[in-house]
Amino acid sequence: GMHWTHLLAGIRPEASAPRALKALQEGAAVEIIRATVVPPGRLPATQADDITVIQGLPGVELVRHAERREADLIVLGRHLGDNGHPPRLGPTADAVVRRSARPCRLVPTGQASLHRTLVALDGLDRGMAVLEGALAWRRLTGADLRIITVEPGDHAGDALGATLQVASAREARIRDRLHALDERLPVQVGYGDPVEEIVRRVNREGCDVLVVGAHRGGPSGPPTDSTGVGRGLLFGAPCAVLTVPL
């Protein structure tokens, strides 16, 4: 399986590293590369000695720097919202996730815990890359992994039999892959709107991290009905998010 040993942290020049990043550095044998991006012709007023300053557009230059340094994972911040406002994704994190061929971890300010991790799988072969990313995350952090797959639909009424049959096939494909990897992880099956159901599970189980697949490219900004489950969770999850490129 993949192992992550080089992490690129994109931070503001005046900011200290997120608490979760410090905890990760203490608990894992990794190199953390700190970088910040400033507008062309401008230098930050203050900066720590170990931060690389790059000029340009943050969403472009952080991805380029990750490629140059052969980083395995890009770490950025995200906002969970407050006073009733929903979580949101800043333009830099949005651009990096859409451009990056590397996994990205979006860390809420002040979060230190990394342990309880929910992995969202659709049961399709391409989506199994998300499982590989989650296992790499566990190797890095020792996280406790659990899997959820959601069958769109309802488990009431005449469609019950067909819905359960499809969901069972989806779950079976995931369990087959786990067996091939010699992994024994709990698998939950939900029903309904995938984004709503997964967010509900994150809240109910107090998850620290949600692992999702992310398609590269596409428009910036909040998700629409056509942008998929992964992007809906990227914007809406009330916890840290780990994106795995698909």
Side-chain angles (χ1 to χ4, degrees):
M2 68 179 77
H3 291 262
W4 296 339
T5 57
H6 296 79
L7 279 59
L8 174 70
I11 58 178
R12 294 186 180 92
E14 72 281 1
S16 59
R19 290 175 62 199
L21 186 58
K22 292 179 180 177
L24 182 65
Q25 189 176 28
E26 292 166 4
V30 298
E31 177 191 4
I32 296 180
I33 307 157
R34 292 173 170 83
T36 190
V37 181
V38 297
R42 184 184 306 175
L43 292 176
T46 60
Q47 76 179 75
D49 292 338
D50 62 346
I51 295 180
T52 299
V53 178
I54 309 163
Q55 296 186 346
L57 296 173
V60 175
E61 296 304 331
L62 286 173
V63 174
R64 287 178 178 168
H65 194 59
E67 293 170 352
R68 284 194 296 267
R69 296 296 302 270
E70 298 183 343
D72 302 304
L73 176 69
I74 300 174
V75 182
L76 299 167
R78 78 181 300 244
H79 304 280
L80 289 186
D82 51 23
N83 299 323
H85 294 96
R88 61 188 176 88
L89 196 66
T92 296
D94 186 1
V96 169
V97 169
R98 288 186 295 107
R99 285 182 169 89
S100 178
R102 289 159 166 75
C104 299
R105 182 169 190 267
L106 309 177
V107 190
T109 302
Q111 178 177 329
S113 177
L114 306 167
H115 189 62
R116 296 175 66 87
T117 298
L118 188 64
V119 186
L121 298 181
D122 60 10
L124 302 178
D125 286 343
R126 185 180 185 187
M128 290 300 176
V130 178
L131 176 59
E132 297 284 353
L135 294 174
W137 174 248
R138 186 183 64 184
R139 294 182 194 104
L140 185 67
T141 65
D144 174 48
L145 302 183
R146 60 197 66 196
I147 293 170
I148 183 168
T149 187
V150 179
E151 172 60 29
D154 197 320
H155 59 130
D158 295 338
L160 175 61
T163 301
L164 290 179
Q165 183 177 3
V166 173
S168 296
R170 181 181 296 227
E171 180 184 5
R173 287 193 295 270
I174 293 170
R175 293 194 183 279
D176 286 346
R177 181 59 63 92
L178 290 172
H179 179 74
L181 296 170
D182 196 25
E183 291 285 347
R184 294 171 177 83
L185 299 176
V187 180
Q188 309 170 17
V189 180
Y191 301 91
D193 178 271
V195 174
E196 292 179 2
E197 178 65 14
I198 292 170
V199 168
R200 189 179 304 118
R201 299 288 178 111
V202 167
N203 282 319
R204 190 172 69 196
E205 300 179 17
C207 296
D208 302 312
V209 182
L210 175 65
V211 187
V212 302
H215 293 279
R216 298 174 66 192
S220 62
T224 65
D225 291 341
S226 63
T227 51
V229 173
R231 191 154 180 84
L233 291 169
L234 176 62
F235 273 77
C239 63
V241 176
L242 174 64
T243 64
V244 179
L246 298 176

